Amino acid sequence: MSDIIVIGGGIAGLSAAARLSADAKVTVLEQETSTGYHASGRSAALYEENYGLPSTVALNTASKSYHYEANGGYLSPRGFLIVAQADEKEAYEKDIATLGLDAVSIERACDFIPILNRDHLAFAGYHADALDIDTDRLMQDFTRMLKSNGGQVVTKAPVSAIKRTSDGWSVTAGDTEYTCATLVNAAGAWADPVAEMADIAPLGILPHRRSMARIPAPAGHDVTQWPMFFGVGETWYAKPDAGALIVSPAEEDSVEPHDAWADDMVLAEGIARYEHMVTEPVTRLLASWAGLRSFSPDRALVLGPDPSDASFVWCAGQGGYGFQTAPAASQLLADLVMGRTPQLAPDLIAQLTPDRLRR
């Protein structure tokens, strides 16, 4: 018996469980053999404060002090560069305005990324305050917080049944039945199926595949200090990773919830878009994979009790912003569940709670 069961052991579920554990006995159920197996384990791990919808940006901003200050900080310098061709001026100007980037010269852009193709590069924008997130340590620290408060994480616990009881919920996972008063749905790509299992109407949260490849450092360059760089309109991106580069076509293909893998054709098309803007071709892949980014119908996060049953709580629809929003999103969710007045503004909260999707 727990006060609260959290279904899902990604960054959303772990951070929510950690915050809730200060006031309740919390159990996290994770279907895989380890936490952070799906989307959280396949993140680009970037903190860009201006990235996302206004409600997401507000959560990014509210999370900033936690990311910087907790245990010495989870962030380290990276930088963010967008590059565009001459016929992409309109999209480039939109990105500059939306993301709050500074326009930089072609020479400056090539200082950042020496392999950029000057024959194709017409515009560039840069933001120095984009930062790498130590995602592993962030997840470990939230898990440590949960356990220090008497909570637990149960892995290899796929949920097969959820039943409403007179005083809460009964959840069957593996061969074990767990009971609780409040159920938190942090199941990522499986958020709607979990809701349906609990006889709660789904919200229309859909997972979308994003493929990635790791390639060797181009032409033997030391890429360690390179910024993350994007094609304008996010048609591809590349990011240094352990001495190599991650390259993604940045696709958003709607799929069913599953253990995702890269689509070879989509990956090849994205790599071709990347190659068009650089001077060094991709000759081999070190690895490839994919993750699922799940979005609500309006693409904002969904945080808080369902209006049809306050004991069923949504923590879903992170859409790839899970790590950078986790500190503020989890605090908001805990405040809503525990009946405290949140620190965030009421109009922002209205953009995030599930009520907006039930009208």
Side-chain angles (χ1 to χ4, degrees):
M1 176 70 188
S2 300
D3 299 318
I4 299 171
I5 288 175
V6 177
I7 299 177
I11 184 58
L14 292 176
S15 59
R19 300 288 203 181
L20 290 163
S21 68
D23 300 292
K25 181 181 178 182
V26 182
T27 296
V28 175
L29 300 179
E30 167 55 49
Q31 66 178 346
E32 304 297 347
T33 57
S34 62
T35 56
Y37 179 88
H38 289 286
S40 294
R42 310 172 197 194
S43 168
L46 187 77
Y47 176 88
E48 169 50 65
E49 185 175 351
N50 299 320
Y51 191 36
L53 293 176
S55 61
T56 304
V57 172
L59 290 173
N60 297 341
T61 301
S63 296
K64 182 188 291 187
S65 62
Y66 190 98
H67 278 307
Y68 273 115
E69 296 168 6
N71 304 308
Y74 298 100
L75 305 179
S76 57
R78 174 55 58 199
F80 179 91
L81 182 75
I82 64 166
V83 295
Q85 301 178 83
D87 62 353
E88 296 174 321
K89 183 178 180 181
E90 184 177 347
Y92 162 77
E93 291 176 342
K94 181 179 179 182
D95 277 358
I96 286 283
T98 301
L99 295 169
L101 307 181
D102 297 320
V104 296
S105 66
I106 302 305
E107 289 71 22
R108 182 62 173 148
C110 292
D111 287 342
F112 287 127
I113 308 291
I115 64 169
L116 289 174
N117 190 331
R118 292 171 179 262
D119 292 337
H120 297 155
L121 181 60
F123 308 102
Y126 181 68
H127 188 212
D129 290 335
L131 304 155
D132 279 344
I133 306 173
D134 188 339
T135 55
D136 288 340
R137 189 161 71 89
L138 187 62
M139 288 182 41
Q140 289 167 9
D141 284 352
F142 276 128
T143 303
R144 189 175 296 112
M145 184 190 302
L146 166 67
K147 291 182 177 179
S148 69
N149 288 330
Q152 64 174 331
V153 177
V154 182
T155 56
K156 295 185 285 188
V159 173
S160 57
I162 302 172
K163 295 181 180 179
R164 197 70 171 90
T165 66
S166 59
D167 54 358
W169 298 92
S170 169
V171 180
T172 302
D175 296 328
T176 305
E177 182 179 351
Y178 300 84
T179 58
C180 63
T182 300
L183 186 63
V184 177
N185 179 6
W190 287 265
D192 268 4
V194 164
E196 292 177 310
M197 205 181 300
D199 202 24
I200 299 290
L203 292 177
I205 294 175
L206 296 176
H208 296 73
R209 185 193 61 235
R210 175 153 291 186
S211 302
M212 302 183 192
R214 181 178 285 110
I215 65 172
H221 282 278
D222 180 0
V223 302
T224 307
Q225 302 303 317
W226 287 9
M228 189 172 186
F229 54 115
F230 279 67
V232 69
E234 199 173 344
T235 52
W236 59 269
Y237 67 74
K239 184 176 188 279
D241 179 71
L245 278 185
I246 291 174
V247 179
S248 173
E251 87 272 25
E252 284 188 6
D253 293 338
S254 178
V255 295
E256 293 296 318
H258 70 290
D259 189 355
W261 64 89
D263 181 290
D264 290 343
M265 183 59 70
V266 170
L267 196 57
E269 291 170 350
I271 289 174
R273 293 193 292 273
Y274 156 82
E275 287 181 308
H276 183 71
M277 297 300 292
V278 300
T279 57
E280 298 295 331
V282 176
T283 57
R284 65 189 178 97
L285 305 186
L286 300 175
S288 66
W289 67 94
L292 300 182
R293 303 159 77 245
S294 299
F295 292 95
S296 68
D298 61 7
R299 299 179 73 86
L301 279 72
V302 185
L303 304 168
D306 192 278
S308 71
D309 188 333
S311 69
F312 185 92
V313 180
W314 293 86
C315 182
Q318 280 72 22
Y321 308 109
F323 278 105
Q324 61 183 30
T325 61
S330 59
Q331 186 60 62
L332 171 60
L333 184 134
D335 289 342
L336 293 172
V337 171
M338 295 301 167
R340 297 187 292 260
T341 301
Q343 297 179 5
L344 299 177
D347 61 334
L348 171 60
I349 295 171
Q351 297 173 52
L352 296 168
T353 52
D355 305 56
R356 74 186 195 270
L357 300 173
R358 296 295 194 202
R359 296 168 186 160

